[in-house]
Amino acid sequence: MKKKILLILSMCLIVLGLAACGEADPTTVDYNGLTYDQLKGACENTVNILQNMSESEKAAYLASGEETLEHLVSRWEEAMEDVGEFVELGEFTITKSGKTLTCEQRIIYENRPVILTYVYKYHNMELEDITVDQVQTLGEKMTNAALNTLMGMGVVFTVLILISLIISCFKFLSRFEKGKEEAKPAVKEPVAPVPPAVEEAIAAQDDLELAAVIAAAIAASTGTSTDDFVVRSIKRRY
């Protein structure tokens, strides 16, 4: 049992030793031709220039036509709101993630810190972006997260309400269409004219019936049978 425990402890020590060896000192690493001090110096020089620039220099930077420089000056002006007086330069960190290298210089002010961030393309160390942002407190982050959540939920519920209203309007549309159909006047179907042959057949049938009635009347008045005489023709006088 003791041997197993010793073996486990030895393995843990070996793993920790390998991990410690794998973590290189960032100040001694070669960042594709640039050193730690060079990257840190670039950030510190940028902070000094931005802090000490005059109004005329700021106007010149904004009118320079260089998008990165104009963006940097604008973000710096936004980040300087309500931060108070400058105290000191804080921690400098370098992070490599995939094909980018990020350098962050923390700037300590009286009310809240500010972070200047340089983003490089690692394969050629070309500057990709520079940003300046105020460091938010935990309470501010939670507030922003809550506001974003409420906004998202509000949008979802608004869309659902609109969909339900649209669906509820369908029954009114069907009633409207039904009312329009009922309001239409009924179309009378044209009466087909009676063919002449049918009219003649009807007239002949009427004559036969009339002849039978006349024969019955004569037989009744004379006391004879209808077989003793024949009605050959009927002349109508109009």
Side-chain angles (χ1 to χ4, degrees):
M1 185 66 181
K2 291 182 179 180
K3 291 182 179 180
K4 291 183 179 180
I5 295 174
L6 290 174
L7 180 61
I8 293 172
L9 290 175
S10 300
M11 292 180 65
C12 291
L13 291 174
I14 292 172
V15 171
L16 291 174
L18 291 174
C21 293
E23 294 180 359
D25 185 3
T27 60
T28 60
V29 175
D30 178 65
Y31 297 99
N32 205 3
L34 295 177
T35 64
Y36 176 89
D37 291 334
Q38 288 175 325
L39 295 173
K40 183 179 180 180
C43 290
E44 291 178 350
N45 290 336
T46 302
V47 173
N48 291 330
I49 292 172
L50 292 173
Q51 282 184 330
N52 299 320
M53 68 178 174
S54 62
E55 291 297 326
S56 59
E57 289 174 339
K58 181 173 69 174
Y61 293 149
L62 293 174
S64 63
E66 296 183 10
E67 185 178 356
T68 303
L69 183 57
E70 293 175 1
H71 178 70
L72 173 61
V73 174
S74 300
R75 293 293 298 272
W76 177 264
E77 290 296 315
E78 294 175 2
M80 289 298 102
E81 295 180 359
D82 302 327
V83 295
E85 296 294 329
F86 172 74
V87 178
E88 62 180 353
L89 291 175
E91 182 183 9
F92 176 76
T93 58
I94 297 178
T95 305
K96 183 181 181 301
S97 177
K99 297 181 180 180
T100 60
L101 184 74
T102 304
C103 302
E104 293 184 348
Q105 176 63 62
R106 195 178 185 90
I107 312 167
I108 309 301
Y109 284 91
E110 186 179 6
N111 295 332
R112 70 169 65 213
V114 174
I115 291 182
L116 172 71
T117 305
Y118 267 65
V119 181
Y120 297 93
K121 295 179 181 178
Y122 189 73
H123 68 280
N124 58 3
M125 292 305 291
E126 179 183 349
L127 183 62
E128 187 173 7
D129 193 15
I130 309 176
T131 61
V132 184
D133 300 289
Q134 292 184 357
V135 178
Q136 293 183 335
T137 62
L138 180 60
E140 291 173 337
K141 292 179 180 179
M142 295 295 292
T143 301
N144 291 335
L147 290 175
N148 292 334
T149 303
L150 290 175
M151 186 178 297
M153 293 176 63
V155 171
V156 171
F157 279 111
T158 302
V159 172
L160 291 176
I161 291 171
L162 289 175
I163 292 174
S164 63
L165 289 175
I166 293 172
I167 293 174
S168 64
C169 289
F170 287 163
K171 60 181 180 181
F172 297 107
L173 292 175
S174 61
R175 290 178 183 176
F176 178 72
E177 293 293 333
K178 186 176 180 181
K180 287 178 64 177
E181 292 179 358
E182 292 177 352
K184 290 181 180 179
V187 179
K188 294 183 179 180
E189 296 182 358
V191 180
V194 181
V198 176
E199 290 183 353
E200 292 177 359
I202 293 173
Q205 184 177 0
D206 292 341
D207 290 342
L208 291 175
E209 292 178 355
L210 182 59
V213 172
I214 292 172
I218 294 172
S221 62
T222 58
T224 60
S225 174
T226 56
D227 296 332
D228 296 336
F229 59 91
V230 177
V231 179
R232 297 185 180 278
S233 63
I234 299 173
K235 293 183 180 181
R236 293 183 176 86
R237 293 182 180 180
Y238 300 97

